[in-house]
């Protein structure tokens, strides 16, 4: 039985165009996504959403809350708890302004798409329930980009809790994709007193699921996922608690993973370095194997 690896029908044509020089790669946009965990008696579960089938990018695929970086968050100084901006810059491989914007994107997208906010009135606190009308109005303003996340935090008098995040991995969308993202994946634990909800207009379903269970459903072809999603799910399976995963994050390698495509006789070989399970052999006139 085929697994649930997401594979767009136009990839072979675009790969051939890239190989013969008729396709110019799009510059990837900076992005962040968060694997939000919570502990249960059966082990940690991760919050996932299913992208609407109508979405132009990865429609129908299961993913984590995430999205693009807002350039307005680059240089606006905000109240900040946890590792310094300089520490995050070194960890993420960017400058301090970019580091702040990437971390802001991770926290903002988790709030926009799951209703969970990793921020509080003090460096050692987090907000409680964020489902009130005033919170919802702010969340919708963020989604509409009427305000930046930095402006939202400042107006609310909130401190961003960067210590509640752990940088996990980094993937860059293949060069032959029309929409490309340079995405940092983070891990975080659901703060006490908060709860998730499907707040995203891009998702038609959300679930809390054990990483091993989600990976098994992918293997059976029951859940559709992009390579970074299933790869990170497999990486989470060894941990017995959300805290263990967070503790492991600082030692993880953030070397970007970028798919490679090469011509080999009468087929195209598509591979992701370090992730052999995603290798595809694409006949020049047929479907991938």
């Amino acid at each position: 039985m085929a697994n649930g690896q997401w594979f767009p029908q136009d990839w072979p044509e675009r790969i051939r165009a890239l190989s013969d020089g008729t396709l110019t790669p799009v510059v990837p946009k900076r992005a962040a996504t968060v694997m939000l965990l919570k502990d249960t008696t059966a082990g940690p579960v991760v919050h996932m959403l299913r992208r609407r089938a109508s979405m132009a990018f990865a429609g129908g695929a299961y993913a984590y809350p995430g999205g693009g970086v807002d350039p307005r968050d680059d240089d606006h100084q905000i109240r900040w708890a946890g590792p310094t901006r300089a520490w995050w810059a070194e960890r993420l491989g960017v400058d301090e302004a970019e580091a702040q914007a990437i971390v802001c994107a991770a926290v903002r997208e988790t709030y926009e798409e799951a209703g969970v906010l990793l921020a509080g009135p003090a460096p050692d606190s987090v907000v409680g329930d964020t489902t009130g009308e005033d919170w919802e109005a702010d969340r919708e303003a963020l989604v509409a980009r009427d305000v930046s996340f930095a402006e939202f935090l400042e107006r609310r008098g909130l401190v961003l809790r960067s210590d509640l995040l752990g940088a996990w991995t980094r993937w860059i969308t293949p060069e032959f994709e029309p929409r490309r993202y340079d995405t940092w994946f983070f891990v975080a634990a659901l703060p006490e007193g908060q709860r998730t909800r499907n707040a995203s207009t891009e998702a038609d379903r959300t679930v809390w699921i054990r990483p091993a269970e989600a990976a098994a459903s992918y293997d059976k072809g029951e859940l559709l996922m992009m390579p970074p999603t299933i790869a990170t799910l497999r990486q989470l399976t060894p941990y017995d608690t959300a805290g263990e995963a967070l503790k492991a994050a600082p030692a993880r390698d953030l070397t970007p993973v970028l798919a490679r495509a090469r011509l080999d006789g009468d087929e195209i070989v598509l591979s992701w370095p370090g992730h052999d399970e995603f290798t595809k052999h694409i006949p020049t006139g047929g479907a991938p194997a």
Side-chain angles (χ1 to χ4, degrees):
M1 180 183 293
N3 62 25
Q5 183 174 341
W6 179 68
F7 192 90
Q9 293 183 347
D10 65 346
W11 267 14
E13 180 181 351
R14 296 187 64 84
I15 291 170
R16 285 191 289 270
L18 180 66
S19 299
D20 64 25
T22 60
L23 175 66
T24 301
V26 175
V27 177
K29 297 179 180 180
R30 297 174 300 168
T33 191
V34 177
M35 300 177 286
L36 188 63
L37 302 172
K38 72 175 180 180
D39 291 324
T40 72
T41 55
V45 289
V46 62
H47 181 72
M48 303 189 75
L49 53 85
R50 183 175 65 188
R51 295 173 60 82
R52 294 185 183 277
S54 59
M55 296 295 295
F57 182 77
Y62 279 77
Y64 312 113
V69 168
D70 186 342
R72 294 176 295 177
D73 292 329
D74 275 22
D75 57 5
H76 189 118
Q77 288 296 307
I78 61 175
R79 296 174 66 197
W80 185 278
T84 65
R85 292 169 179 81
W87 184 93
W88 277 108
E90 182 176 358
R91 179 74 181 113
L92 300 179
V94 297
D95 63 34
E96 290 189 31
E98 288 180 301
Q100 173 176 294
I102 292 165
V103 172
C104 278
V107 178
R108 186 196 72 240
E109 289 289 337
T110 306
Y111 181 46
E112 288 183 5
E113 298 192 348
V116 171
L117 183 57
L118 304 178
D124 59 351
S125 66
V126 292
V127 298
D129 186 3
T130 61
T131 59
E133 291 184 5
D134 58 334
W135 285 107
E136 181 60 16
D138 280 347
R139 192 194 66 80
E140 290 180 353
L142 286 168
V143 172
R145 298 296 182 262
D146 292 337
V147 297
S148 71
F149 191 64
E151 292 168 340
F152 159 75
L153 291 174
E154 186 175 74
R155 185 172 61 78
R156 282 273 183 178
L158 296 175
V159 181
L160 185 146
R161 293 289 306 275
S162 82
D163 55 320
L164 298 182
L165 286 169
W168 192 260
T169 190
R170 180 181 178 185
W171 286 64
I172 301 177
T173 309
E175 292 181 330
F176 46 81
E177 262 290 328
R179 294 175 178 82
R180 301 189 64 213
Y181 301 93
D182 183 353
T183 305
W184 284 263
F185 285 69
F186 295 84
V187 65
L190 179 69
E192 184 175 354
Q194 294 192 39
R195 61 182 187 271
T196 58
R197 57 195 176 90
N198 184 6
S200 173
T201 58
E202 299 179 355
D204 60 12
R205 184 188 184 211
T206 61
V207 295
W208 282 102
I209 188 170
R210 290 188 303 112
E213 181 184 348
S217 294
Y218 166 90
D219 290 336
K220 296 174 184 176
E222 296 170 352
L223 296 184
L224 180 67
M225 298 181 200
M226 293 175 283
T229 309
I230 180 58
T232 49
L233 283 170
R234 297 200 199 284
Q235 292 161 359
L236 289 172
T237 56
Y239 302 100
D240 294 326
T241 67
E244 285 184 11
L246 276 165
K247 187 176 180 180
R252 294 212 27 103
D253 183 10
L254 293 187
T255 301
V257 179
L258 174 64
R260 303 294 183 187
R262 60 182 174 84
L263 290 173
D264 186 5
D266 60 353
E267 69 178 8
I268 298 168
V269 180
L270 175 61
S271 62
W272 280 258
H275 299 272
D276 293 342
E277 73 165 296
F278 304 129
T279 299
K280 293 286 188 182
H281 295 265
I282 309 166
T284 53

